[in-house]
Amino acid sequence: MKHNQIVVLAAALSLAACSKQQHATEAAEPASNGATVQTPYGALPASRVHAVDNHTIAKIVGGRLQLVNMNTGRLVEDLGVPSADDRAATDPYAFARALRGESVAAVTTFGTNPTFGTTGASGRNEGSYYTSASLSGIKSLSTNWLVPNFPLDTTNPVTIFYWNALDGGALQPVLQYDQGYGNAYTIANWYFTEGQYFHGTFVRVTPGTQLTGVITFVSNPNDTTWNYKESFTGYSAADVNITRTSEATDPALCLEAYTQILAQWPNQPFMQFTAIDVAMRTGSAPDSLHWTPGGGSVPVTPSLLNTVVVNNSATNGEVDMYFGDGTGITPDSSFHIVAGVNGSSVLDITGGATTAGTPVELWTPNSPVSPNQVWKAIALPGGYYEFQAGNNASMALTDSASGTGNGTRIVIEPYTGSTAQKWKVTPAGGGYNTLSPACAPSSNMDVYAHGTANGTKIEIWSANGGTNQQFKFVLE
């Protein structure tokens, strides 16, 4: 794949349509603790979040915001008179933060839209990829993507949202993982108007399913009425219809994660937003969309990439968003390196020493955690890692003397960037990996003779597929 433009952010599918609809399974409502609801806009008061079906629309009637059946004109629900703040609100994320009592000024912004507010057990939406382009006069925005793989860590599911959008997310077809459903993906169309947040029917989907999120201009009968429709192609039950008081402009794409642990992100290198297509109400689409990056803080990925604009075409564009590499490693984070031979013992620097040449051995995890059993993973070009010793940041996990023979000891040495200190980490299944030094690529790190006793030496040995050559990374 040729990457024409790389944007590193500072902060954010094939079944036939009839088959999709036939096999879709409706999901429950978003996770709620009674007072708040988890949404793509962060945690919101439950009173501000409303479910609508594909024939119900929210609109102002006689100064009141009402849910009305589009087919019969019947009142479904009266949401009351919007306040002046409700009527003036155009930024769904800023308004959501205000509802949560957060400081708008304290939050880094992307374009006109601040990063996503507080939510979840950690209190923060910790990782966001976001890119947007300035454009008005839009008739439709269509984007394809495949539902990603499940995360490597499915025991601790964390909410992640993926969406294309107009107006900074005020209208967004959303794919979401977890959001209170456990290890599951669902789609739903979300929108914001008059200070309220709305979502359509939730439908479960599976990894590998092709999605096409579409936002379509319907009509503009007067200066203060703009009608739109959101849909996922082939899932008409999930459609929503929107009436706004202003035009929806500015395409956007986003990956909105509530964790920086890459093992809790999809277990694949990246996902592709493809066939990004803008049609105009009059005239032709521009030759290109000038994507502008932004978003919240994001973890360093193994590829050292976050968002890549592959093709900025306005009619057949592509933007890729990067995840982990299936190893469970989040670069620049610290881990126990746990041996597969017993699933509990860890790599340990003998005696807690910090001097060059100190051997690495197997040992029972210390409690409290000791720094000589902790390793910081540093991503290197070419898909390699340096493993920095927790008790001395200048030392690194090293294949002693750049040895290639079976039985060569693993030690710590001052980091020089040598091939003996560059480790290729390859998934071996079940969350475990093999580690091979660049100086001996056909050999793996090995626990001597499948030993499990404290003090068992760590060496390299020809790759043999044994559990004594498998290791997993447990975040500290």
Side-chain angles (χ1 to χ4, degrees):
M1 178 182 298
K2 182 178 179 181
H3 290 167
N4 298 322
Q5 179 184 2
I6 297 177
V7 183
V8 180
L9 303 183
L13 288 160
S14 168
L15 297 174
C18 60
S19 175
K20 291 176 185 175
Q21 194 67 53
Q22 183 177 5
H23 296 288
T25 302
E26 293 187 8
E29 294 302 304
S32 171
N33 65 9
T36 61
V37 177
Q38 173 71 298
T39 79
Y41 308 94
L44 287 171
S47 61
R48 292 273 179 169
V49 180
H50 311 279
V52 293
D53 57 28
N54 60 0
H55 52 265
T56 299
I57 194 166
K59 63 180 183 178
I60 297 294
V61 179
R64 305 181 69 84
L65 182 62
Q66 297 183 342
L67 295 180
V68 177
N69 185 299
M70 297 172 63
N71 298 327
T72 65
R74 181 179 62 85
L75 174 66
V76 176
E77 184 178 357
D78 188 315
L79 301 178
V81 178
S83 69
D85 288 343
D86 292 341
R87 299 301 304 267
T90 58
D91 184 331
Y93 288 95
F95 195 77
R97 286 201 316 282
L99 292 175
R100 292 190 292 268
E102 298 170 10
S103 169
V104 173
V107 181
T108 303
T109 62
F110 48 76
T112 61
N113 299 289
T115 53
F116 313 106
T118 61
T119 190
S122 67
R124 295 298 309 174
N125 167 12
E126 296 174 336
S128 306
Y129 300 165
Y130 178 92
T131 188
S132 63
S134 179
L135 188 65
S136 60
I138 298 169
K139 179 179 180 180
S140 66
L141 169 67
S142 176
T143 306
N144 291 355
W145 69 96
L146 292 176
V147 179
N149 294 335
F150 290 124
L152 187 66
D153 179 0
T154 58
T155 304
N156 305 289
V158 178
T159 298
I160 304 178
F161 298 108
Y162 315 78
W163 40 266
N164 62 332
L166 292 179
D167 254 20
L171 290 77
Q172 51 178 265
V174 180
L175 168 68
Q176 47 215 34
Y177 174 74
D178 174 45
Q179 205 211 21
Y181 306 133
N183 187 37
Y185 282 105
T186 58
I187 56 171
N189 290 288
W190 287 81
Y191 67 95
F192 169 77
T193 187
E194 304 293 339
Q196 305 289 330
Y197 298 80
F198 301 87
H199 66 81
T201 301
F202 284 80
V203 179
R204 289 185 185 254
V205 292
T206 57
T209 301
Q210 178 172 304
L211 298 178
T212 302
V214 185
I215 304 169
T216 305
F217 167 81
V218 176
S219 65
N220 174 215
N222 56 59
D223 290 343
T224 60
T225 304
W226 295 78
N227 297 315
Y228 291 85
K229 180 179 180 179
E230 285 180 51
S231 59
F232 281 99
T233 300
Y235 298 94
S236 59
D239 291 355
V240 297
N241 298 277
I242 304 105
T243 291
R244 294 163 45 96
T245 58
S246 62
E247 179 186 8
T249 64
D250 303 343
L253 301 168
C254 187
L255 180 155
E256 177 186 344
Y258 287 77
T259 177
Q260 289 202 23
I261 301 172
L262 293 184
Q264 294 174 330
W265 289 32
N267 186 17
Q268 62 190 65
F270 60 90
M271 69 170 286
Q272 301 164 288
F273 285 111
T274 64
I276 300 168
D277 181 79
V278 174
M280 309 302 291
R281 295 198 298 276
T282 60
S284 301
D287 291 337
S288 62
L289 294 172
H290 300 287
W291 296 106
T292 300
S297 61
V298 295
V300 177
T301 65
S303 63
L304 306 181
L305 302 174
N306 294 132
T307 294
V308 175
V309 178
V310 178
N311 184 345
N312 62 9
S313 167
T315 55
N316 189 29
E318 178 178 342
V319 175
D320 297 348
M321 296 186 173
Y322 279 73
F323 305 135
D325 57 5
T327 64
I329 297 175
T330 301
D332 292 343
S333 297
S334 295
F335 302 84
H336 276 329
I337 301 179
V338 178
V341 70
N342 65 359
S344 59
S345 295
V346 301
L347 297 194
D348 177 290
I349 300 170
T350 302
T354 59
T355 55
T358 301
V360 174
E361 61 188 7
L362 196 69
W363 204 271
T364 302
N366 294 329
S367 182
V369 174
S370 59
N372 62 306
Q373 294 186 341
V374 174
W375 304 87
K376 185 176 182 179
I378 309 295
L380 302 172
Y384 290 95
Y385 289 95
E386 170 201 351
F387 292 99
Q388 189 180 91
N391 62 348
N392 185 341
S394 68
M395 295 289 173
L397 195 68
T398 306
D399 174 13
S400 60
S402 298
T404 59
N406 287 345
T408 301
R409 290 297 301 268
I410 304 301
V411 299
I412 58 168
E413 295 282 356
Y415 182 71
T416 64
S418 76
T419 55
Q421 297 174 321
K422 296 179 178 179
W423 296 87
K424 179 70 74 174
V425 183
T426 304
Y432 286 91
N433 310 275
T434 60
L435 285 75
S436 301
C439 63
S442 62
S443 296
N444 290 335
M445 183 184 292
D446 180 288
V447 178
Y448 174 72
H450 291 261
T452 58
N454 286 346
T456 300
K457 69 179 181 179
I458 305 298
E459 58 189 7
I460 66 164
W461 202 271
S462 299
N464 59 31
T467 57
N468 64 317
Q469 294 189 345
Q470 297 179 3
F471 302 86
K472 67 179 175 182
F473 300 92
V474 177
L475 192 68
E476 289 302 316

